[in-house]
Amino acid sequence: MSDSIFDSFKVKDIVFMALISAVALCTAAVMAIVAHIYIYGLAQLVTAFQFAFFSAIALMKVRKVGTLFIFALFTGLFELFMAPVMFISSVLTGLILELLVVLIFRNYKNSVNPVFFASMLFIPCTMPFNLIYYRLFSKEMWDLFFASGFKMLSIVFITGSFVVAALGSFLGIKVSKELLKAGVLK
């Protein structure tokens, strides 16, 4: 049974993911500080740690395929009211990362590698969807980000979001292991 790919979710799993998604969103509110600085990748850099950290905790507790997608859906529902692009990119990224976890690792149960993989890539992988969305549906935002060409700071921020997300994922796994050992995360 432990090698099965798909397991059903219990109500307590869904409630935990809703709570951890809310906490991730609350801590990511610092993005409001940089929301009007139009350099591509800055928003992801600022939110990468929080989302990687809390999604790693969610995945360590609820080690079932679909957990990241549900986490993305919960966060995306709140993001929808802020900007549709955030909802679309979060949900699509969650879905694609779940598919990659199944294809590469089969599930989250056998090691922490799929947890690290999925939680670390969650925010950085939203960036391509944002690019597509801005290009197709928001000429104004596209021009704000790219009217003067691709900014060099964008490269730094994109790279930084991967590094910061890796740190958040690593620490989320480490904290989760300690909480599991202490019996706090059951």
Side-chain angles (χ1 to χ4, degrees), residues 9 13-22 58 62 67 70-71 74:
F9 290 95
D13 297 334
I14 303 294
V15 169
F16 179 78
M17 287 184 284
L19 290 172
I20 203 86
S21 298
V62 185
T67 300
I70 294 170
F71 177 86
F74 281 137

Side-chain angles (χ1 to χ4, degrees), residues 111-169:
S111 75
V112 297
N113 292 339
V115 173
F116 181 79
F117 173 83
S119 60
M120 189 273 287
L121 289 177
F122 181 61
I123 288 297
C125 285
T126 62
M127 287 187 268
F129 295 114
N130 290 349
L131 273 179
I132 293 168
Y133 182 89
Y134 293 143
R135 189 70 182 141
L136 295 176
F137 302 110
S138 182
K139 183 173 175 9
E140 178 184 330
M141 288 301 292
W142 180 265
D143 290 343
L144 283 171
F145 280 122
F146 303 110
S148 61
F150 197 78
K151 299 173 178 96
M152 286 305 291
L153 272 179
S154 292
I155 296 169
V156 172
F157 293 155
I158 291 167
T159 304
S161 72
F162 280 96
V163 172
V164 170
L167 177 65
S169 183

Side-chain angles (χ1 to χ4, degrees), residues 30-31 37 48 65 88 93 97 131 139 142-143 146 179-180:
V30 297
M31 193 193 71
I37 301 172
V65 171
I88 292 166
T93 300
L97 287 173
L131 273 179
K139 183 173 175 9
W142 180 265
D143 290 343
F146 303 110
L179 292 173
L180 286 165

Side-chain angles (χ1 to χ4, degrees), residues 1-5 7 63-64 107-111 114:
M1 183 131 178
S2 66
D3 64 342
S4 67
I5 295 175
D7 292 326
R63 296 185 84 159
K64 299 174 184 176
N107 60 37
Y108 292 104
K109 296 176 187 173
N110 300 330
S111 75

Side-chain angles (χ1 to χ4, degrees), residues 25-44:
L25 281 167
C26 288
T27 60
V30 297
M31 193 193 71
I33 298 169
V34 299
H36 297 292
I37 301 172
Y38 297 107
I39 302 171
Y40 185 73
L42 180 59
Q44 286 79 7

Side-chain angles (χ1 to χ4, degrees), residues 60-81:
M60 288 295 288
K61 178 173 180 355
V62 185
R63 296 185 84 159
K64 299 174 184 176
V65 171
T67 300
L68 186 68
F69 177 72
I70 294 170
F71 177 86
L73 191 60
F74 281 137
T75 57
L77 287 173
F78 288 101
E79 293 169 338
L80 180 61
F81 298 108

